[in-house]
Amino acid sequence: MSVLEVRDLSIELMTTGGVIRAVDGVSFSIDAGQTVAIIGESGSGKSTTAMGLLRLLPDDLAVISGHAMLDGVDVVTEPKKFAKLRGRSVSLIPQDAMTALSPVHTIGRQLGEAVLRKGAMSKADLNRRCLELLEQVRIPSPDAQLKKYPHQLSGGMLQRVLIAMALAVDPVLLVADEPTSALDVTVQAGILDLLMELQERTSVAILMITHDLGVARLVSDRIHVMKDGKFVESGEVEQIVEHPQTEYTQKLLAAVPKLGHWDGEPQHNAPVFNPATSNTLNGAHP
Amino acid sequence: MLTYVAKRLSQSLLTIFLTVSTVFVLIRMAPGDPAYALAGPLASTGDLEKIRTSMGLNEPLFTQYGIFLKELAAGNIGKSYSFQAPALDVVLGRLPNTIFLAVLAILLAIVVAIPLGVWMAKRADTKRELGVNVLTIAGQSMPDFWIGIMLLTLFAVVFPIFPSSGFTSWSGVVLPVATIAILQIALVSRMVRREVGSNLAAPYLTVARARGTGEQKLTWAYAMRNSSIPILTTLGTRFAGMLNGVVVVEVVFNWPGLGSLVVRALETRDYPLIQATVLVTSVLAVGVQLLIDLCYPLLDPRVRLGKVSVA
């Protein structure tokens, strides 16, 4: 059974330049334990889709229509009911970990708040649960981290804290909005590994929003390619990557940087620095 | 932390010293002669000269300054010419009236401006908010003497609800406090709107909302808490400014505070009284500022660790 079933979702944004249809009738579903990625360039509407599904867009600036069933609640037509699910059945892993936590509150306080969404518990239990969660996302010496403030942790550590926070309530769906874009490549891999491992254990469904085809390919089961608010192509990962049907997807694939052969011809006609033929540092222009 | 306190304390002392010294020189450079004020318009040139010599006003400026510093070090600011009493005593006698006014005005400003500013931040750009916004612009643009006279005319003359002047009963407090508070409310609420507004739009707030945190908690525990440093700084500066004597308001309402005292001291060129007022008010202003600076580390962990410097 699908955890999230989206049918004909549209989101219109009121801007100073007029009404923009940022999301234009998209439909998709995610099963438990599955990861679905929405990829596309900036402005394609992928983040708006995610934020709209969480009802985190301001009501006076965004009009949502269509259907989106999550845990028996229609996100679009039952916003009050859904507000109770937010942070319980569905949680968010945000884009930029460095700005995602309040700078004047400790990690423990903010993590504890997420844990308490499931219900009141004693201070000792809360502390134990927080430590357990930080251990789950492999944060070293969790006891010390709980007392720290966000600026005392690195971006990668903060993203781990945010993942712990998102998992604190055993959600059925995780919405990951570019969870690794703000991180170093080496840290990225660790975070993605962690996400997949946690998914395997909890069989949480993940909606992954990314512009990075590499990320989408690594973690997801299905990919939707989004452009101008519409899905231009949808399918299994292999199908999208090996046999892209549309020109847009082909371009997205081509935009992924590849390493050329060490001694082969340079790709395209890019000027290449060749120490053998140059006598200046600007060897590309002899 | 201790070196930080020591550093700020020595800076404060230097500020007070420089303020007092500057005022010492300035009032003597300004036109006017205390001897005239003391002797009256019918005094002869000889009388005036005698008075000047007896008060040491014929000495060169440097000598006068030297004497002033020596006396100051001994804790002596001199006798007020017009009150014929130690100037410091005269000032300290008036101080409670001004502090009373300032405390009431700042409390009123806090009680009204913070909820108002938060309300404006949450309803930003709606029609009703726009109306209130225009009112706050009006509030900060109207000069205080004009507000004072308008309130006087309206509530003491046309509708005689409150007394027009003096500090004889509690009802006499209402109009002066309201006059001062209107400007403060306008300024502080706009400032709260801006700060809380930017925090309500911050990514961390969306993330907190995503984890199901309630609106009240988001507003007060997160947005307001994160705005506390700039808000406290503004309130502190405003309060310190009021302690310097809410000059115009005190004159309009004939309030027996520092403001009306300093106007009288300036009119009569009562040098010791002016100096005593400046000394006391600068100590207070710098003291309040120091207190606020020392609060920063309590409010923001980043200041505690010296990562962000708050100028």
Side-chain angles (χ1 to χ4, degrees), chain A residues 177-252:
Chain A
D177 184 12
E178 306 253 14
T180 57
S181 306
L183 301 174
D184 284 346
V185 179
T186 45
V187 183
Q188 262 184 29
I191 295 287
L192 292 175
D193 278 348
L194 177 69
L195 268 180
M196 285 192 294
E197 183 204 310
L198 293 169
Q199 181 177 39
E200 205 149 289
R201 209 169 57 223
T202 61
S203 71
V204 63
I206 299 180
L207 173 62
M208 173 75 72
I209 308 295
T210 180
H211 65 269
D212 189 334
L213 199 68
V215 170
R217 186 180 185 173
L218 190 67
V219 300
S220 45
D221 300 295
R222 248 173 318 119
I223 293 180
H224 299 277
V225 181
M226 197 165 191
K227 183 178 188 280
D228 298 333
K230 290 190 174 105
F231 287 166
V232 292
E233 192 166 353
S234 302
E236 306 291 312
V237 175
E238 292 78 25
Q239 182 200 327
I240 298 273
V241 175
E242 309 293 335
H243 312 287
Q245 299 298 309
T246 63
E247 198 190 341
Y248 183 67
T249 312
Q250 283 161 11
K251 275 187 186 159
L252 272 183

Side-chain angles (χ1 to χ4, degrees), chain A residues 115-133:
Chain A
V115 174
L116 288 175
R117 274 292 275 169
K118 281 189 83 178
M121 57 173 79
S122 74
K123 236 177 167 180
D125 284 347
L126 180 63
N127 194 52
R128 201 172 316 122
R129 177 76 177 132
C130 285
L131 290 177
E132 198 181 287
L133 283 164

Side-chain angles (χ1 to χ4, degrees), chain B residues 152-188:
Chain B
L152 259 182
T153 315
L154 205 61
F155 295 111
V157 182
V158 181
F159 306 105
I161 304 168
F162 300 111
S164 64
S165 71
F167 181 24
T168 47
S169 67
W170 274 96
S171 59
V173 176
V174 176
L175 293 184
V177 167
T179 307
I180 306 168
I182 285 175
L183 172 69
Q184 310 303 334
I185 289 170
L187 285 166
V188 174

Side-chain angles (χ1 to χ4, degrees), chain B:
Chain B
M1 188 65 193
L2 221 66
T3 49
Y4 174 68
V5 175
K7 202 177 131 197
R8 288 294 289 109
L9 207 62
S10 54
Q11 280 173 351
S12 304
L13 288 175
L14 185 68
T15 310
I16 294 167
F17 175 75
L18 288 176
T19 313
V20 171
S21 301
T22 311
V23 169
F24 182 91
V25 175
L26 281 179
I27 51 175
R28 279 166 177 77
M29 280 166 64
D33 187 342
Y36 268 114
L38 268 184
L42 299 173
S44 67
T45 328
D47 288 343
L48 290 175
E49 200 51 38
K50 235 184 268 166
I51 293 173
R52 285 195 200 107
T53 315
S54 74
M55 294 193 301
L57 293 172
N58 281 337
E59 303 287 336
L61 192 59
F62 263 112
T63 319
Q64 287 186 43
Y65 183 57
I67 295 167
F68 167 70
L69 285 186
K70 224 169 87 186
E71 291 291 312
L72 189 64
N76 187 7
I77 303 181
K79 250 181 165 181
S80 156
Y81 303 153
S82 47
F83 286 85
Q84 285 302 315
L88 195 62
D89 292 352
V90 176
V91 171
L92 292 180
R94 292 286 198 108
L95 185 61
N97 289 340
T98 288
I99 290 187
F100 181 68
L101 210 58
V103 168
L104 281 184
I106 203 81
L107 285 181
L108 186 61
I110 291 170
V111 169
V112 177
I114 289 181
L116 185 66
V118 169
W119 180 86
M120 287 202 287
K122 295 199 69 149
R123 304 275 184 297
D125 300 325
T126 60
K127 272 192 190 126
R128 255 191 285 173
E129 192 269 338
L130 217 65
V132 176
N133 204 335
V134 169
L135 282 182
T136 60
I137 294 177
Q140 71 174 10
S141 315
M142 291 187 289
D144 49 1
F145 69 86
W146 187 80
I147 298 179
I149 291 170
M150 284 302 127
L151 288 180
L152 259 182
T153 315
L154 205 61
F155 295 111
V157 182
V158 181
F159 306 105
I161 304 168
F162 300 111
S164 64
S165 71
F167 181 24
T168 47
S169 67
W170 274 96
S171 59
V173 176
V174 176
L175 293 184
V177 167
T179 307
I180 306 168
I182 285 175
L183 172 69
Q184 310 303 334
I185 289 170
L187 285 166
V188 174
S189 63
R190 295 181 63 75
M191 198 270 177
V192 170
R193 175 193 191 267
R194 195 173 58 241
E195 289 299 326
V196 171
S198 74
N199 272 299
L200 281 174
Y204 75 80
L205 205 99
T206 306
V207 176
R209 185 172 280 133
R211 66 172 175 262
T213 307
E215 274 308 309
Q216 289 300 317
K217 203 167 178 189
L218 289 174
T219 306
W220 296 100
Y222 283 97
M224 188 64 202
R225 175 70 181 75
N226 271 286
S227 313
S228 53
I229 281 197
I231 291 173
L232 185 74
T233 308
T234 308
L235 286 173
T237 324
R238 302 262 128 220
F239 184 64
M242 282 187 239
L243 290 179
N244 291 352
V246 237
V247 178
V248 179
V249 173
E250 287 188 6
V251 172
V252 169
F253 290 96
N254 195 17
W255 186 265
L258 282 186
S260 48
L261 183 69
V262 86
V263 170
R264 178 160 166 198
L266 283 167
E267 275 168 0
T268 56
R269 308 284 158 205
D270 195 336
Y271 292 163
L273 194 54
I274 298 173
Q275 271 145 211
T277 315
V278 169
L279 179 69
V280 168
T281 55
S282 60
V283 166
L284 283 173
V286 167
V288 169
Q289 205 61 57
L290 184 66
L291 211 64
I292 287 169
D293 278 7
L294 296 180
C295 281
Y296 284 168
L298 301 177
L299 291 173
D300 194 332
R302 288 166 297 182
V303 182
R304 217 171 301 161
L305 293 134
K307 263 202 151 181
V308 174
S309 63
V310 178

